[in-house]
Amino acid sequence: MKSRPLNISEKREEFLIHGIPASPGVAIGSALVIRKAEFFIEEKNISPEDIPGELSKFKEAIEVTRKQIISLQNRVQSMLNKNDARIFDAHLLILDDKMLMEEVEAGVAKELRNIDFVFNRTVQRYIAAISAMPDPYLRERAQDIRDVAERIIKNLHSRTCSILDRLPGQRIIVAHEVTPSDTADMDKENVQAFATEVGGKTSHSAIMARAMQIPAVVGAQNLFLDTIHNGDLLIIDGYLGMIIVNPRPNTLKVYADKESEAEKYYSGFLKETRLWPETIDGFRIQLAANIQGVEGVEDAKRHGAAGIGLFRTEYLFINAKELPSEEKQFSAYSKIASDMEGHQVVIRTFDLGGDKLSEVITPFNEPNPFLGFRAVRLFLEYPHFMKTQLRAILRASAFGNVKIMFPMISGCEELDRLTAILEECKKELRVSGIPHNDNIDVGIMIEIPSAAIMADSLAKKVKFFSIGTNDLVQYTIAVDRTNEKVAHLYQPTHPAVLHLIKNVVSAAKANGIWVSVCGEMASDPRYAPILIGLGVNELSMSPGAIGPVRRLIRRMKMHEAEKIASSVLLVDDAKEALRISEEMINSVAPDIVRMSFKGI
Ligand code: PEP
Ligand code: MG
């Protein structure tokens, strides 16, 4: 196989692009190349009777946009300062630009084309003209127009405008970036796989790909958007992190075989879902599922999860235009609680911010989003928003075995403030006689090093810990989990990470509470002996990852895992720690190593 680069004008021969393997599996299909912020705007003919409808849709979108900008401006004003909020005055002025609006309205009537199409074409012309002006101040205004235009287009489409929501058939998505909000609305039936130029293995879109069980390669850094054409035949190898463009017939044959072998192998795990995840010497580990929505429950059950270890509730409304009401949240949480029939459901409060942005509540361009206004920090700033969610979770606790989990806890003070608000919510429900579990278990995610260090104090205040290794690794080693440039430094077996995990588990044991791992480390069999040997009680992961971990546990002995854990704590090298664990797995379950990481 030939390695790239390739000039676009060259003959389309097979070539290979390397990236980061983000979700296992193989896909063979036709490429759909998506550039940044591209929207799928159809050009449609309309009849003269449709004109009033199109124009009132436009007026409505302008008014929704105006409200959004004003509410954004108010929030910025209250949190930052008046100067920072002034930018939005310019945005509001654009909405009042008579010339632009009249031109659009006249265009619809004259050309008999749909409003989105006419508006986009007109505004793009304005942007191009302003971008070409000699005055740098005016040139910068082009960005304001672009922002406002994007907002109007989204509102015209009721947020179904991303091309990812509506694919023209089965496709492999090739994009600069796929954001968590893109994955939330993705046309899942038709996305065979995706490959991106940016991102790391634990960025949330990679996590979503694993949850949807579609192969993915991220962080393919060498500008592959320029070398792949729409319609090119691609192979995505999600095991090895390879994108093969225009494969030759013999390459296709190798991959078709690989695909059918993998399918056979993975369907084998579905026959083992009733077997206990128990070591040969009789220690049982709880295997739970991470889900993103109500529909995840079915998958969790199909793969034999013992419960829901992490419900990432932020996906409920990542693309919504307003905060979800208590009723809407209650209906989702109570459905999951009753569908799980008494099995544990850990509902994590919203963890927005970082790479999970919602137009409604996290609209700022922060310089360091992962160190910024994220999760409970945002929650504490908007107690009303927080109470709505807590009341909904509490009410759902009357329908099953529901637990509350707070993410991104940095220390005791923050936890105390959250607990006080939770107590207020319980009191309100008690006074109104609304059924709920007043003794609901409350746990926290341990994903910030300060919390891992303070685990002993925190353990006295909660019923369980769940270690979020995705963030714990990122914050401990100072490696952005979404940045492909530093992906090689993202090492879950870094000695500092392992020592922090040990500290957390010891604190949990000393205080008689249970401890889970719900970061991606839990789903990767290579780390299972270490985590189990360190004393973790539960591993929670995307449902599709449970099978190999269950099989591995059933082939291990706890005392061997404990030996592995002690050995890795003695080495000061992440690669050596991983080697020690892999050696053990290879001796008891070589098939898992071979299939999980090579797919052959
Ligand atoms: C984690 O940080 O490990 C985790 C499970 O949470 P998230 O991936 O949603 O940040
Ligand atoms: Mg996290």
Side-chain angles (χ1 to χ4, degrees):
M1 202 175 299
K2 201 174 99 181
S3 222
R4 56 173 319 281
L6 173 103
N7 185 312
I8 307 180
S9 59
E10 271 178 52
K11 190 168 166 283
R12 308 295 292 163
E13 288 179 353
E14 172 178 302
F15 65 98
L16 169 69
I17 300 169
H18 286 282
I20 300 167
S23 178
V26 166
I28 303 173
S30 163
L32 179 70
V33 182
I34 299 177
R35 279 158 216 290
K36 220 175 171 181
E38 194 171 21
F39 295 106
F40 181 59
I41 299 171
E42 263 179 298
E43 178 180 358
K44 285 187 282 194
N45 291 326
I46 58 167
S47 59
E49 303 85 75
D50 297 330
I51 298 172
E54 290 295 289
L55 296 185
S56 79
K57 211 166 90 180
F58 187 47
K59 288 215 161 66
E60 212 176 290
I62 299 279
E63 286 323 304
V64 172
T65 307
R66 192 186 308 281
K67 277 192 200 143
Q68 287 170 343
I69 296 175
I70 292 173
S71 106
L72 245 162
Q73 187 171 38
N74 291 340
R75 273 212 301 278
V76 173
Q77 227 154 28
S78 64
M79 275 178 289
L80 302 168
N81 62 49
K82 280 215 156 59
N83 277 345
D84 288 310
R86 230 164 249 156
I87 164 93
F88 297 110
D89 287 335
H91 286 195
L92 289 169
L93 280 178
I94 296 165
L95 295 178
D96 292 326
D97 188 316
K98 266 207 152 95
M99 206 166 88
L100 170 66
M101 301 307 163
E102 281 172 9
E103 191 177 334
V104 173
E105 290 176 8
V108 172
K110 197 165 141 221
E111 297 173 40
L112 293 178
R113 293 284 187 285
N114 51 318
I115 183 73
D116 349 20
F117 173 76
V118 176
F119 173 70
N120 185 50
R121 200 200 44 203
T122 315
V123 85
Q124 293 307 332
R125 223 185 43 242
Y126 272 62
I127 292 170
I130 295 175
S131 305
M133 289 194 170
D135 180 339
Y137 173 80
L138 286 177
R139 274 206 310 271
E140 270 180 31
R141 300 286 67 77
Q143 186 52 39
D144 294 337
I145 303 184
R146 204 171 278 126
D147 281 358
V148 175
E150 210 168 275
R151 221 172 247 288
I152 295 174
I153 291 171
K154 280 180 188 168
N155 289 329
L156 274 169
H157 280 254
S158 313
R159 175 74 226 183
T160 53
C161 53
S162 160
I163 191 167
L164 289 171
D165 307 348
R166 227 172 352 144
L167 294 179
Q170 292 246 306
R171 291 290 187 279
I172 291 178
I173 303 300
V174 173
H176 172 70
E177 181 182 20
V178 170
T179 65
S181 63
D182 289 332
T183 57
D185 278 350
M186 224 175 216
D187 176 358
K188 296 182 181 65
E189 295 290 301
N190 283 321
V191 177
Q192 288 176 274
F194 66 75
T196 61
E197 288 183 320
V198 299
K201 219 179 178 132
T202 58
S203 48
H204 282 97
S205 33
I207 293 174
M208 282 298 274
R210 290 194 285 278
M212 295 188 285
Q213 292 179 52
I214 59 168
V217 174
V218 299
Q221 291 180 55
N222 36 11
L223 287 175
F224 71 93
L225 285 196
D226 293 337
T227 54
I228 299 181
H229 301 171
N230 269 333
D232 273 350
L233 184 63
L234 299 184
I235 297 176
I236 299 291
D237 181 339
Y239 301 104
L240 298 178
M242 298 196 310
I243 303 150
I244 302 161
V245 189
N246 301 313
R248 282 192 289 261
N250 57 345
T251 314
L252 279 170
K253 165 93 179 68
V254 168
Y255 271 93
D257 293 349
K258 199 168 170 172
E259 222 181 345
S260 70
E261 199 192 332
E263 214 175 282
K264 220 170 24 188
Y265 178 73
Y266 281 99
S267 62
F269 290 115
L270 294 176
K271 299 191 186 107
E272 298 174 9
T273 53
R274 288 175 175 273
L275 302 177
W276 289 113
E278 197 170 81
T279 60
I280 296 169
D281 45 355
F283 289 87
R284 197 170 292 174
I285 308 298
Q286 163 123 327
L287 296 183
N290 294 351
I291 62 168
Q292 274 68 239
V294 177
E295 63 291 343
V297 169
E298 200 187 310
D299 232 12
K301 284 181 161 178
R302 200 162 64 88
H303 289 275
I308 304 299
L310 167 64
F311 174 18
R312 288 185 165 99
T313 56
E314 55 279 4
Y315 281 95
L316 278 185
F317 82 108
I318 198 161
N319 289 330
K321 287 203 189 315
E322 51 190 22
L323 301 177
S325 65
E326 182 179 318
E327 283 317 304
K328 200 164 172 196
Q329 292 188 54
F330 166 69
S331 122
Y333 306 152
S334 55
K335 172 142 184 36
I336 294 177
S338 43
D339 285 357
M340 284 306 292
E341 300 165 302
H343 294 285
Q344 157 208 290
V345 177
V346 176
I347 303 185
R348 180 176 79 176
T349 60
F350 296 131
D351 178 13
L352 286 163
D355 62 344
K356 286 177 287 193
L357 300 178
S358 140
E359 265 183 62
V360 190
I361 200 154
T362 51
F364 311 109
N365 281 330
E366 293 182 278
N368 290 301
F370 277 107
L371 301 181
F373 203 38
R374 181 182 172 190
V376 292
R377 299 166 181 191
L378 217 142
F379 225 48
L380 285 166
E381 199 73 34
Y382 302 114
H384 170 68
F385 170 44
M386 170 175 181
K387 284 180 79 174
T388 306
Q389 184 173 35
L390 292 178
R391 282 172 57 97
I393 301 175
L394 281 167
R395 286 172 55 198
S397 69
F399 293 79
N401 181 5
V402 171
K403 302 176 196 304
I404 294 180
M405 178 156 77
F406 292 118
M408 287 286 290
I409 295 295
S410 60
C412 292
E413 240 179 281
E414 207 168 38
L415 177 59
D416 292 342
R417 286 179 64 199
L418 292 161
T419 313
I421 298 176
L422 177 65
E423 289 307 317
E424 269 176 44
C425 294
K426 284 187 192 170
K427 194 169 160 199
E428 285 168 16
L429 294 181
R430 273 198 307 271
V431 170
S432 321
I434 298 175
H436 67 282
N437 175 7
D438 215 51
N439 294 316
I440 191 165
D441 281 357
V442 176
I444 55 172
M445 294 210 45
I446 302 283
E447 51 187 346
I448 300 183
S450 59
I453 292 166
M454 293 307 293
D456 189 57
S457 307
L458 288 163
K460 297 184 170 45
K461 295 173 181 278
V462 291
K463 286 280 175 17
F464 63 95
F465 283 158
S466 192
I467 306 177
T469 50
N470 303 339
D471 280 311
L472 187 63
V473 174
Q474 129 164 297
Y475 294 131
T476 305
I477 323 179
V479 178
D480 180 345
R481 62 194 265 192
T482 66
N483 185 341
E484 64 290 347
K485 300 245 174 4
V486 288
H488 60 289
L489 299 173
Y490 189 96
Q491 294 172 309
T493 51
H494 189 291
V497 174
L498 298 181
H499 283 275
L500 286 178
I501 295 177
K502 180 182 176 343
N503 192 53
V504 174
V505 177
S506 307
K509 305 266 161 209
N511 290 280
I513 66 169
W514 57 275
V515 57
S516 169
V517 173
C518 65
E520 294 305 295
M521 210 176 159
S523 66
D524 188 330
R526 289 176 301 177
Y527 307 122
I530 301 176
L531 297 175
I532 292 167
L534 285 172
V536 164
N537 307 101
E538 175 187 280
L539 298 173
S540 190
M541 63 201 86
S542 355
I546 293 177
V549 177
R550 180 193 286 107
R551 189 180 288 177
L552 174 60
I553 291 172
R554 292 178 54 79
R555 296 199 193 154
M556 267 171 24
K557 292 199 179 102
M558 180 56 99
H559 75 88
E560 278 167 5
E562 283 168 352
K563 261 204 283 187
I564 299 287
S566 313
S567 316
V568 297
L569 287 172
L570 293 175
V571 300
D572 56 9
D573 173 343
K575 287 199 184 78
E576 177 57 11
L578 183 58
R579 194 201 58 75
I580 293 171
S581 183
E582 275 179 344
E583 189 177 73
M584 186 265 211
I585 303 170
N586 238 329
S587 69
V588 298
D591 57 318
I592 289 175
V593 175
R594 191 171 63 91
M595 286 305 293
S596 301
F597 307 106
K598 299 199 183 76
I600 41 173

